[in-house]
Amino acid sequence: MPANTEPEPADGTGRLRAAGRARQVLALLGFFALSFAAWAMASIPIILHSAGWFADSVKAPWMPPGWMFRSVWLMLYAGVAVAAWLVWRKNALTGAALAAYVVQLVLNAGWPVTFFGLYPVLGTAALWAAFIVISGLAISLVFLILRFGPVSAGAGLLLLPYFSWVVFSASLNLYSALHN
């Protein structure tokens, strides 16, 4: 591959473009790190309790296998990272959009703590509390989609599978609350 022999423009725009690209890559990596940190924190109560009380609980007939949850959530968190990055690139991850982004991360990480972690202590009440948390997550996602979509259609579209999966997960949560 031949080396780039073109001289850099005298005005320094080449360096500015390279610095801008580096900033974009670092920001995207930061959003991935934040999403995967939330994913890892959310995974702890699931790992600790999925072989315990949850293994013996009554589950919805439409419950997919456990491996599917890990795979899907990992992809959804990646989509959230890219969506946030797309909005950030347009300098629009501020105010209500930033608050909604943070709220959905907190609620998403908090749901497994409530559902899996609190059940041994609170019993069925934990499942109902978890249903409230996941319902709040769904509401925050609607708000986030409405904030991200007008800024970046791609960002809004990336959140739609996440919202769909949260609604699906809420149905599983509700079934568990009603039958355990």
Side-chain angles (χ1 to χ4, degrees):
M1 183 168 178
N4 184 2
T5 57
E6 293 182 31
E8 184 176 322
D11 63 0
T13 56
R15 261 188 295 229
L16 287 175
R17 278 194 300 269
R21 280 191 296 272
R23 183 173 178 256
Q24 294 290 324
V25 169
L26 285 174
L28 180 58
L29 291 174
F31 283 113
F32 275 124
L34 187 58
S35 282
F36 292 130
W39 176 75
M41 287 181 359
S43 297
I44 293 169
I46 297 169
I47 292 166
L48 292 175
H49 296 284
S50 61
W53 74 266
F54 186 70
D56 297 329
S57 69
V58 178
K59 294 170 194 66
W62 59 92
M63 174 78 119
W67 64 265
M68 185 180 282
F69 282 97
R70 290 183 293 279
S71 304
V72 169
W73 278 114
L74 189 59
M75 288 186 296
L76 294 174
Y77 271 112
V80 169
V82 173
W85 176 72
L86 289 170
V87 173
W88 172 84
R89 287 181 65 197
K90 296 189 177 192
N91 295 320
L93 192 58
T94 60
L98 178 60
Y101 172 71
V102 170
V103 164
Q104 66 80 27
L105 279 177
V106 169
L107 289 173
N108 203 328
W111 178 83
V113 172
T114 309
F115 186 90
F116 289 96
L118 291 181
Y119 183 84
V121 177
L122 300 177
T124 304
L127 303 179
W128 286 106
F131 184 70
I132 292 168
V133 171
I134 203 165
S135 297
L137 175 58
I139 291 166
S140 75
L141 285 173
V142 168
F143 185 77
L144 193 61
I145 290 165
L146 293 174
R147 289 291 178 172
F148 277 20
V151 174
S152 166
L157 289 172
L158 280 168
L159 294 175
L160 292 178
Y162 179 26
F163 174 73
S164 299
W165 189 256
V166 166
V167 171
F168 174 72
S169 297
S171 76
L172 298 172
N173 186 151
L174 181 60
Y175 190 92
S176 289
L178 290 169
H179 296 90
N180 287 292

